[in-house]
Amino acid sequence: MIRTNPLKRALVAAALVAAGVMVPVAPTTAGESAPEAAGEAPPTAAKPAPLPTVGDEKAVDLRLGSPGSPDRREIRRPGAQYVKVHFSRLTLARGDYLTVADPSGREVHTYHGDPTRGGAAKGDASFTRHGRTGFAAMSVDGDTAVITLHTREGRNSAATIDRYWRGYSDKEIKAKNGPGVFSVCGADGRRDTVCYKENHPAQYNASRPVARMLTNGNGWCTAWRVGRGNHMMTNNHCVKTQAELDTMEVQFNYDCATCGGNNPGPGTKVGANQLLRNSAELDFALFNVDNFDQISQFGTLFLETRAPVINERAYVIGHGDTKPKRISLFEERDGGAYCAVKTTGGNSVGYSCDTSGGNSGSPVLAGSSHKVIALHWGGSCPNNVGNRMDRIYPQIQDLIDNRA
C-alpha cells in the first residue's frame, strides 16, 4: 500500500469517515514516501458516516388472489442487483402457500402464512419487519421477483404488495455515493475467498462464518458468527436499535464459485432476530438470527482476548462494495507484503489491509491464530481502522462461549 508523509497523514485523518468508506488520498511520490512509526496511534475516529446507499424503495399496489386478481405477479427492474418484496396483507387458507422467487427458481422463499401473525410453518423462509404492519420476504438476487399464490380453486387466500426495494446497479451505486470513495491505497489486494481455498486453507475456512447483511432494503454491512451458539457481530453504526435489526437480512455463502469469476450463488439468507448488546463507543452490535439451523453449517469465529501486536500479520474478510466475499490478505498482490497491524492506541488498531464501503463490521483476524483481533469500522490511507477485540470482549463475555 502506498504510504504518505506525516502532513498528508494528518490531513487524511481529518477526513476519516466510517462504514468502511474513506475519501481517497492522491498517491505520493517516491520522495514523499515514509514508513509508519512503530506503535504510532491510529487517527482519531470521527463519527461514522451514513452507510453507502445501494438501493431504493418503491410504492406499489399489487394484489393476488382477491376477486379479479391474478395468482401470479412479477416485479422487474432491469439492471437491479436484487428485489425485496413487502406484503401489507397475507391471508392463506390451510394448505395454501406463497412463494417469492427469481425467474429461474434458483432462489425460492416460501410462506404458509403471515409470519408476523403466527401463521408461518416450520421450514418457512425468514422475513424482515419494516414498521408495525406487514412483513418483507427475503430478497431475491437479480432484477426480477416472481410472486405466486399457490391455492386451490374456491379458496379465499389473498396477498397485497404495497412496496418493494430494488438494488442499484454498480453504475448507480457509484453515481449515488460518489466516485472513488474507498480505502484502497495503490492496487487492490483483495481476492475472492475461493482463490485461497487450496493455498491458504485456514484463511478460507475462516471466511465461511462471514456474511453480507442487507440493512432496511437499501444498505450493506458485513456480519459474522462469533463463538459457539447463535451469535452474530457487526458495527453499532450498522444497527443501533431493535427496530433497525428487525429490517436486516443476513446472507451467508455469498461467494464466487471460481477465482475472479464474478459468479456467486444465492447463498443462504436468514432474518436477524434479537439485539443482545451494543456499544456506540466500541462500535459493536451483538445479535442473533432466525433459522439458526440453516446457517450453523458455516462454522464460527473465536476472539483473541490479548492486545494486538505491532507488525503481526492480519487479514480482513468481508463484503466491500457489496460484492461477493473477499479476503484482504496481501497489501497489494499475492506474493507481496502480507497485511499487518501497523498502529495501536486507545480502543483502536490500524492495519494495512484493503477495505471499502460494505466492509463495516468485518472481522480483522490475526494471521498467527486465525482469531479475531479487531472489528473493522472504517479506514483511510495509509491504514484502515478497527476497534480492538480485547476491549470489546469484556463487554460480551457473559453472552458468548469463546472456547475454541
Side-chain angles (χ1 to χ4, degrees), residues 10-205:
L11 293 174
V12 172
L16 191 66
V17 290
V21 184
M22 295 298 129
V23 179
V25 178
T28 62
T29 66
E32 293 175 328
S33 180
E36 288 282 320
E40 178 183 345
T44 301
K47 288 184 179 180
L51 300 179
T53 302
V54 298
D56 58 21
E57 179 182 331
K58 301 291 184 183
V60 293
D61 184 12
L62 300 177
R63 300 172 188 271
L64 293 83
S66 55
S69 298
D71 289 336
R72 183 181 184 277
R73 292 280 192 176
E74 188 174 283
I75 296 175
R76 182 171 185 267
R77 291 296 298 270
Q81 292 196 17
Y82 62 87
V83 178
K84 183 175 176 66
V85 181
H86 188 273
F87 297 88
S88 60
R89 175 176 175 245
L90 178 61
T91 304
L92 297 176
R94 184 181 296 274
D96 292 351
Y97 61 98
L98 176 86
T99 57
V100 179
D102 72 297
S104 71
R106 186 178 80 155
E107 282 189 275
V108 181
H109 307 304
T110 302
Y111 302 90
H112 287 85
D114 184 339
T116 67
R117 298 176 178 271
K122 185 177 181 180
D124 274 6
S126 292
F127 67 98
T128 56
R129 297 174 184 261
H130 304 261
R132 294 185 177 181
T133 60
F135 72 97
M138 293 289 98
S139 63
V140 293
D141 294 342
D143 65 5
T144 304
V146 179
I147 306 97
T148 307
L149 194 62
H150 302 264
T151 181
R152 285 174 283 181
E153 188 175 353
R155 297 295 188 96
N156 294 319
S157 296
T160 302
I161 301 167
D162 63 346
R163 51 185 160 143
Y164 69 91
W165 295 264
R166 60 99 186 191
Y168 293 145
S169 65
D170 287 339
K171 183 178 180 180
E172 287 177 303
I173 289 175
K174 291 178 181 177
K176 294 287 184 180
N177 296 286
V181 285
F182 63 127
S183 43
V184 175
C185 307
D188 193 339
R190 294 172 293 180
R191 299 186 72 195
D192 297 326
T193 57
V194 70
C195 301
Y196 294 119
K197 187 173 183 178
E198 301 299 329
N199 58 2
H200 289 86
Q203 286 83 350
Y204 171 77
N205 288 332

Side-chain angles (χ1 to χ4, degrees), residues 237-249:
H237 75 258
C238 294
V239 52
K240 304 178 186 67
T241 66
Q242 181 64 48
E244 289 181 345
L245 189 73
D246 288 341
T247 73
M248 307 290 184
E249 63 176 70

